[in-house]
Amino acid sequence: MQLPAVPGALALSLLAFPVAFGVNSVPALADPFLPVRSAQSVPGLPPSLRSHSIAPAQPPTCLSLSILMKSKALPLDAVPDENHLSPGALMLTGALVLAGLFSIVYFVSEGSRFQDPLFCVFVVFSFTSVIDLIISLEEDGYISGFMEIYVREGEPYLRTAHGIMICYWDGIIHYGLYLAMIAAMSQRKSYRNLGLFWLGSLMMSIVVFLLGNLIGKYSSDISPAFLLNMPYVLIPIWAGVRLFHQPKALPGLTADKIAEEQHKGLHQRPQDLGLVLFLILAAAFTFFRGLVVLDCPADSCFEYIYQHEPYLRDPVAYPKVQMLVYLFYLLPFFCLCIYGLVRPGCTWMPDWSLVFAGAVAQAQFSHLGSSLHARTPFPYQTPEDVWWSFLLANVLYALGPQLLAYRCLRRPEFFLPAAPASLDKGKKHQ
């Protein structure tokens, strides 16, 4: 049996809803089979009750809960949690689900599309994108009963504002990119540009997320389920190598057109001049915010972190890691882009502008959303009197790299290799 690529991927990803509901229901279904425990094994139980036995935990009713809370004979911590699932079991369940998905994709497609192994990656990742969308919707209260146990027992940091926002991005933007790339594969079209944007977006998301978990306030809550994020580190690296080795689309420009464009000065290219000015301002803003999170003692830094972006002080550490990634990676890229817009023939510009466009888009969405989200503690939320300046600065910061990538793809002749002089002379003599 072989399904069309896009409907098959869509159907498989929608299996996330019953799978998530099933995993969430396992502890409740297993509850009636818990063994009867002796009351002597319960710490803190009064001597008068030690001769009794404790029956298996049943789903508590409002009446039984009220009786337990009013009577101080049995402490609440002695009641077994009927919705508890060990972190090891959660990790094993997640690993088995992913392995099962890979098997289903292989057998359903009969290996026909495995000439490009990224097909399997995009289909499986589309499933996990829907899982992330379920998590974000559930944490914001739109749905319930799907991923509560996994988030609580396995990855509680997904309940933070940053965790919710990256789940929204993965469940909407990444999911759309997966379907678009799968559709391009099925029609034997190039998906290289979409893949590079996805690569930057996913790598930025996972790097900030993992580092924030390791050094932030949730570092003590890391469980074996944290290892389920490792494929999001290793697979994109391998996928990125394959994407960069795919052939580029040829623009079909003549040597004369390329030479004419590359001989223009920056003042003759107003769009590039505007981008250079943006990159200079963005580089300065990036450097300033890097100093802010590094606890620079200057008055301007102190005022900014307390009156304009208090979210940078949030102990979850995601905003601090984000600004440091900007400082050490995005800032050098901005400087290189200024050079690439001034000096012709920088062939790396179109590809890497796409990668960084995806990275900045994801990062700014998460940063903006987390700064304003209700899950962020009130002292770290953006003050209402600076909302508009905060939004304007961060939206422009996110929009600039998108315009740069669009310019590089729309008119790439300035970034193409210069035509050999002998070829130009030969064309003139013809």
Side-chain angles (χ1 to χ4, degrees), residues 24 42 100 168 213 244 267 333 353 398 400 403 414 417 424:
N24 197 66
V42 179
Y168 272 123
N213 294 336
F244 274 103
H267 65 282
F333 177 73
S353 64
L403 297 176
F414 187 79
D424 288 340

Side-chain angles (χ1 to χ4, degrees), residues 115-161:
Q115 295 176 356
D116 190 343
L118 288 179
F119 173 79
C120 180
V121 171
F122 295 152
V123 171
V124 174
F125 277 16
S126 68
F127 174 89
T128 60
S129 292
V130 176
I131 290 289
D132 283 344
L133 183 59
I134 293 172
I135 291 174
S136 58
L137 292 174
E138 188 165 28
E139 290 302 317
D140 274 343
Y142 296 107
I143 58 176
S144 62
F146 288 93
M147 295 297 294
E148 178 185 356
I149 294 178
Y150 174 81
V151 174
R152 187 182 68 230
E153 303 291 343
E155 298 191 80
Y157 30 80
L158 288 175
R159 311 186 88 164
T160 63

